[in-house]
Amino acid sequence: MDLLAKIRTIPTLPGCYLYKNAEGEVIYVGKAKNLRARVRSYFLEASQMNAKTGSLMREAVDVEYITVDNEREALALENNLIKQRKPRFNILLRDDKTYPYIKLTLNERFPKVFVTRRLRKDGSAYFGPYFPGNLAYRLVDLIHRSFLIPSCKIDLNRYHPRACLQYYIKRCLGPCVEGFVTPEAYKETVRDVQLFLEGRTEELERKLTARMSVAAEAEHFELAARLRDQVVTVHQMQDKQRIATADNEDADVFGFHFENQMLAVNLFHMRGGKIVDRRDFFWEDLPEMNAFFGESLNESTGEALDSEAEQELGAPFIAPLSHAMSGSATEPDPAQSAPEINEASPIAFEASPITEPGETFSPSAFFSALLKQLYLDQSYIPRSILLPVDFPDRAILTDVLSEKVGHRIEIAAPRRGDKRSLVDLVGQNARQSYDQRFRVLQPNQKAIQQALQDALTLEELPKRIECFDISHIQGAETVASMVVWEDGAMKKADYRKFQVKTVSGVDDFASMREIIHRRYKRLLDDKKDFPSLILIDGGLGQLHSAADALAEIGVTLQPLASIAKKEEIIYVYGQENDPVVLDRRSPVLHLVQKIRDESHRFAVTYHRKRRQIRDRESELDAIPGVGPRTRQRLVQHFGSVRGIKQATHDALTAVVSPAIATKIKSHFAEDAAESTPSLVQIS
C-alpha cells in the first residue's frame, strides 16, 4: 500500500504519527488530536509548494501511527518516540546531562551510599538531584567521614578475613569483617543517614543527642565523641539549609540567542532563590536539522486556532518574517479542508531549499519541543519554569507536569517585573555562550580547568594530569609512556618511559596494571604528591586495570579516568555507567585529546627506538638468507626472537620458505648446543 492510500485508512483518533524514508528510518514524529486530518494537512501544504513541508514529503515514503486515549498520552508518547528514534526533522536534545542523585541501597544486608545519575526501581532510596553536580560527591564524602557508611564495591553479603584501608582510617564501620559492627548498630546508622538525606535534621539531632548522652553515661567515650561530631555536622547543615530556603521557591529560567541559523540556549537552575548551576545547549544548521517545528496560529488573524483545529507540535521550525512579531508559524492547518488524495493530485515534490528569503526562527515552537524532552522524564521538576516566549502546548504540558509531581507547576513567559529581568539576564548569558561557542573565542586556562572539573566531577581544580599509553606490535617490545600536563602546559621534564617487564604477548590490561603499579608505588614510597587526575588512553578494560593496580598499593580515592579512541568517550572510575560525552567543539575535550595524543606520540616514538635497537642486535642477522624484510616478517608473526626459537619447522614455513626454515632451526640448534655445558669425567 502506497503512502497516499495508507493515509485514507488512518483513524480520526488522538495519537502519534511517524514518517519514514525509503530506508525505513523514522525521519519525523508528531502528535495530533485527529491523526487523519493532521497527516492529510501535510499534503495540502506540499501541494501549495510550501518549502518546509515539501522537504519532509520529498523524503517520506511511509507513515505509521499509534493511537492513544487522549492528548496527554500523545504528549508523553511523542517525547519517548523522539528520544528513541532520534528523527532528523525533530528537535533533538543532544545534551542529555542529568544531575546526580545519592543512592542508599536499602535492599542490601549492609546498605551502602553511592552517587548515581540513573534512577532504577531496585529497592534503593534515591535523594536529589543535587546542584551543582559536585555537591552530591561532597555529601557522600561527608557521610563517609561522619556516619562511616561505605560506598565500596566489596560484596557485603558475606564476611571477609580483613578490612580495607577505609576502616583503619575511620571512614567505614567495617561491616565486611565479622565482629566489627553488629547488624543492629549498622541499621541504626543507616537510619541516621536516611534522616540526614531526607532533610529531617531536627529529628536526627534529637536522636543523636540522646544516644550521645547514653554513651557518655556508660563511659563509652569514643562512641560518644563520634556521636558528638555527627551532631555538630547535622547542626551545621541545618543552618545552611535555613539560609538557602529563606528566599523564593525553586525555578528554572531559560534564555536564548539565535543568529546565522545557529542557536544557543542557557538554563539557570534557581534553588531557594539562588542561582546554583547553569546549563548550555547548542544547535547548528537548524533549518537542515529541524525543518518542521512551529505553532498553530491562524495566519489571517494571528490568533490561536480553536481546540478542534489547534495544531500539534511538529509545525515548521521556520516562521515567515511577516509573522515573526506575533510568533506565528506556517503549519498545515487541519481546520482547512484538505483536497482528496488521489494519484492525480498536484503535489509538488521537486527539490527546493529548506529556507527561503524572509524566513526566521520560531522561539515558541522551539521551547514547546525542548521542554517536553527536558521535563517529561525527570523525577524532580521545579515549581516555576520561566521562558522568554509563550507556546501553544503550555497549558497541557503544565497539567501533565503538575499531575506527575503532585503539585502545581507554573510555566510562564513573564513580560515585566523581576521575573522578566531574570529571563533577560539569562538571555544575555546565552549570547555570551553563543559568542564563545560559535565565534571561536578561546576561553582562558582557568575556565577550561573549571569546565574539566565539572565535566569529570573532580573534587579539586585539576592542576596536574598524568596520562599513560601502551605501545607494541603484536606483543613485541611492549613499552609505556607517561606525559604530564601541569598548569596549562605540557611539562616535558616530567615525561617518563617504561619497559613492560612482567608481561609477554599481547595483554594491554596487564601491561597497564604493571606500569601504574610501578609508577605510583614509587611515588608512595617517596612520599610524593599524586596528580589531580590520572588519565588512561583506552577503554573500560584499561581503566579497571589501572584501578586494580592502585588498589593493590592501598590507593582508593585517586581520581582516575580514561578516554576511548574513535568514540572519544571519557569514562570516570566509579561512574562507568554514565560516561562523559563532550561536544566535539568543547575546549575540555580538546584538552583531553591533546594530552592523550601526546602520550600516544611519546609511546610510539619510544617503541620505534626500541625496535631499532632490537633490529640492530637481532640474532636473526647471523642466519644466512634472512634479510631485513624476512626478519621483520618473522618478528611480527611470532612476536619475538624467543617465539621464533620455539617455533616448529612447519610453523616457520608459514612465513618463510622450507629452506630458510631449515637454516633457522639449524642456527638455533647450534647455539643451544654451544651454550650447553660439557661433562668432564674425573677418574
Side-chain angles (χ1 to χ4, degrees):
M1 184 183 298
D2 63 14
L3 180 59
L4 303 180
K6 192 170 186 178
I7 291 175
R8 299 191 188 98
T9 67
I10 295 179
T12 58
L13 300 173
C16 293
Y17 53 93
L18 302 85
Y19 276 112
K20 293 185 175 183
N21 61 13
E23 287 75 30
E25 299 175 346
V26 176
I27 58 176
Y28 179 69
V29 173
K31 70 174 181 64
K33 294 179 182 178
N34 185 326
L35 283 170
R36 183 189 300 170
R38 181 67 185 86
V39 174
R40 288 177 62 195
S41 63
Y42 281 99
F43 285 88
L44 173 64
E45 285 292 314
S47 65
Q48 295 173 354
M49 300 187 65
N50 179 279
K52 297 173 290 298
T53 307
S55 62
L56 171 64
M57 301 312 296
R58 284 193 305 272
E59 294 190 33
V61 299
D62 192 14
V63 61
E64 293 184 358
Y65 60 89
I66 303 173
T67 61
V68 294
D69 290 336
N70 51 59
E71 193 176 2
R72 293 187 180 186
E73 293 182 6
L75 191 75
L77 178 60
E78 178 198 38
N79 175 63
N80 292 334
L81 291 173
I82 289 175
K83 290 188 174 181
Q84 291 173 7
R85 303 297 184 93
K86 295 180 171 51
R88 184 165 61 87
F89 286 99
N90 284 94
I91 282 286
L92 300 180
L93 182 59
R94 300 183 184 275
D95 177 12
D96 58 352
K97 168 185 174 184
T98 57
Y99 284 93
Y101 292 78
I102 293 179
K103 175 181 178 180
L104 189 60
T105 59
L106 297 177
N107 55 328
E108 297 180 355
R109 183 176 69 155
F110 291 107
K112 305 173 189 176
V113 60
F114 296 98
V115 176
T116 183
R117 293 179 184 268
R118 294 187 179 181
L119 303 181
R120 295 185 174 91
K121 295 180 180 180
D122 55 2
S124 301
Y126 293 84
F127 305 91
Y130 290 94
F131 305 89
N134 60 9
L135 175 59
Y137 293 90
R138 297 203 304 268
L139 285 176
V140 168
D141 182 70
L142 179 65
I143 292 171
H144 292 336
R145 288 186 283 107
S146 298
F147 296 93
L148 312 187
I149 297 296
S151 61
C152 60
K153 297 184 178 180
I154 297 175
D155 181 13
L156 297 183
N157 291 321
R158 61 183 180 88
Y159 288 115
H160 299 263
R162 58 173 297 180
C164 67
L165 180 64
Q166 296 296 309
Y167 172 77
Y168 294 104
I169 63 175
K170 300 188 183 301
R171 297 192 66 170
C172 178
L173 291 172
C176 54
V177 178
E178 188 174 8
F180 281 3
V181 63
T182 63
E184 292 75 16
Y186 193 92
K187 187 176 297 185
E188 188 175 34
T189 305
V190 170
R191 178 58 181 165
D192 293 342
V193 171
Q194 192 171 0
L195 291 174
F196 176 74
L197 293 173
E198 289 175 353
R200 298 161 60 181
T201 51
E202 293 182 358
E203 179 182 351
L204 176 58
E205 188 175 352
R206 288 196 304 269
K207 289 186 175 182
L208 292 176
T209 303
R211 279 155 45 193
M212 179 183 65
S213 301
V214 172
E217 291 175 359
E219 298 184 355
H220 297 157
F221 299 117
E222 185 175 350
L223 175 60
R226 183 160 61 85
L227 293 169
R228 177 203 60 201
D229 294 340
Q230 292 179 5
V231 170
V232 172
T233 299
V234 172
H235 188 68
Q236 291 174 347
M237 293 298 296
Q238 188 176 7
D239 289 342
K240 291 181 181 179
Q241 186 69 18
R242 288 198 189 100
I243 295 173
T245 58
D247 297 318
N248 300 324
E249 295 180 342
D250 297 352
D252 281 356
V253 189
F254 288 85
F256 76 96
H257 181 76
F258 174 79
E259 187 178 340
N260 297 326
Q261 306 303 336
M262 294 181 289
L263 174 67
V265 175
N266 268 203
L267 166 58
F268 278 28
H269 297 289
M270 299 189 64
R271 300 298 179 260
K274 304 182 189 308
I275 298 174
V276 297
D277 204 2
R278 61 175 287 182
R279 294 175 67 179
D280 297 325
F281 305 92
F282 302 97
W283 284 267
E284 305 173 36
D285 302 324
L286 280 174
E288 297 179 7
M289 192 174 66
N290 302 287
F292 283 84
F293 290 87
E295 56 193 288
S296 54
L297 296 176
N298 188 309
E299 293 187 39
S300 61
T301 64
E303 298 177 353
L305 300 171
D306 59 31
S307 58
E308 290 299 323
E310 181 182 358
Q311 278 300 284
E312 310 301 335
L313 178 64
F317 195 51
I318 309 299
L321 187 62
S322 60
H323 297 281
M325 298 303 294
S326 63
S328 63
T330 56
E331 168 74 359
D333 187 355
Q336 302 178 11
S337 59
E340 269 310 311
I341 299 174
N342 52 58
E343 300 299 332
S345 296
I347 300 176
F349 290 101
E350 54 269 18
S352 61
I354 294 178
T355 57
E356 295 178 337
E359 293 179 336
T360 186
F361 168 61
S362 173
S364 58
F366 169 81
F367 281 105
S368 174
L370 178 65
L371 261 61
K372 295 169 189 175
Q373 295 192 49
L374 276 176
Y375 293 111
L376 283 177
D377 296 332
Q378 290 297 315
S379 60
Y380 176 79
I381 302 171
R383 289 185 176 271
S384 297
I385 300 173
L386 304 181
L387 304 171
V389 294
D390 201 355
F391 61 92
D393 288 334
R394 179 176 60 83
I396 183 173
L397 183 60
T398 300
D399 293 339
V400 170
L401 296 180
S402 300
E403 183 178 337
K404 177 181 176 65
V405 298
H407 58 76
R408 186 64 182 173
I409 298 294
E410 177 193 17
I411 303 177
R415 297 186 177 182
R416 62 182 67 85
D418 294 338
K419 291 184 177 180
R420 185 64 205 186
S421 299
L422 186 58
V423 172
D424 292 340
L425 173 65
V426 180
Q428 294 174 13
N429 281 269
R431 183 184 183 90
Q432 296 296 326
S433 298
Y434 180 96
D435 290 340
Q436 184 173 348
R437 171 64 175 270
F438 297 118
R439 301 190 196 282
V440 197
L441 298 180
Q442 182 63 31
N444 60 45
Q445 190 56 47
K446 186 174 182 181
I448 295 179
Q449 288 178 280
Q450 292 173 341
L452 177 61
Q453 178 186 11
D454 182 64
L456 304 187
T457 60
L458 302 176
E459 293 187 3
E460 299 177 354
L461 200 68
K463 296 182 178 179
R464 180 183 173 96
I465 300 174
E466 294 183 359
C467 181
F468 295 83
D469 187 26
I470 303 293
S471 181
H472 62 81
I473 293 181
Q474 295 185 354
E477 298 294 339
T478 304
V479 299
S481 69
M482 183 197 83
V483 300
V484 177
W485 177 90
E486 191 174 69
D487 292 331
M490 304 305 298
K491 191 175 182 181
K492 295 190 176 182
D494 288 356
Y495 284 19
R496 294 292 182 269
K497 297 177 289 189
F498 303 88
Q499 292 184 41
V500 177
K501 300 177 179 179
T502 63
V503 180
S504 61
V506 181
D507 194 340
D508 287 358
F509 301 158
S511 301
M512 184 63 71
R513 188 181 301 111
E514 176 192 330
I515 299 306
I516 296 295
H517 186 279
R518 285 165 52 186
R519 166 64 180 170
Y520 295 105
K521 181 67 165 58
R522 179 74 175 271
L523 287 189
L524 207 59
D525 293 342
D526 294 344
K527 297 183 179 179
K528 293 183 179 180
D529 294 334
F530 277 50
S532 306
L533 173 68
I534 299 174
L535 182 64
I536 305 298
D537 183 3
L540 288 175
Q542 286 88 343
L543 178 67
H544 290 155
S545 297
D548 293 342
L550 292 173
E552 289 174 6
I553 61 175
V555 177
T556 58
L557 301 179
Q558 168 65 38
L560 180 66
S562 70
I563 176 170
K565 291 183 177 69
K566 295 183 181 179
E567 299 89 354
E568 304 296 359
I569 296 175
I570 301 176
Y571 295 96
V572 180
Y573 183 70
Q575 308 171 46
E576 294 91 332
N577 293 332
D578 300 294
V580 179
V581 182
L582 298 173
D583 186 86
R584 58 184 176 86
R585 297 173 181 261
S586 169
V588 174
L589 180 60
H590 293 168
L591 172 62
V592 175
Q593 289 173 329
K594 174 185 175 182
I595 299 172
R596 188 271 313 276
D597 293 344
E598 175 68 1
S599 175
H600 181 71
R601 180 200 66 79
F602 195 54
V604 170
T605 302
Y606 181 46
H607 181 255
R608 286 173 179 166
K609 290 181 179 179
R610 291 290 306 168
R611 280 168 40 212
Q612 291 172 0
I613 295 173
R614 178 203 64 192
D615 292 344
R616 286 196 297 266
E617 300 175 353
S618 175
E619 295 182 49
L620 302 178
D621 290 338
I623 304 175
V626 177
R629 292 185 178 178
T630 304
R631 181 186 62 208
Q632 183 178 8
R633 291 202 308 272
L634 286 167
V635 173
Q636 287 181 351
H637 185 81
F638 295 102
S640 64
V641 175
R642 180 187 301 176
I644 299 173
K645 287 181 180 180
Q646 296 173 352
T648 64
H649 185 275
D650 292 337
L652 289 170
T653 57
V655 182
V656 297
S657 65
I660 298 297
T662 301
K663 291 180 180 181
I664 294 173
K665 294 299 293 182
S666 300
H667 173 81
F668 287 122
E670 292 174 2
D671 286 350
E674 292 175 0
S675 62
T676 302
S678 59
L679 298 176
V680 178
Q681 184 176 4
I682 301 177
S683 57

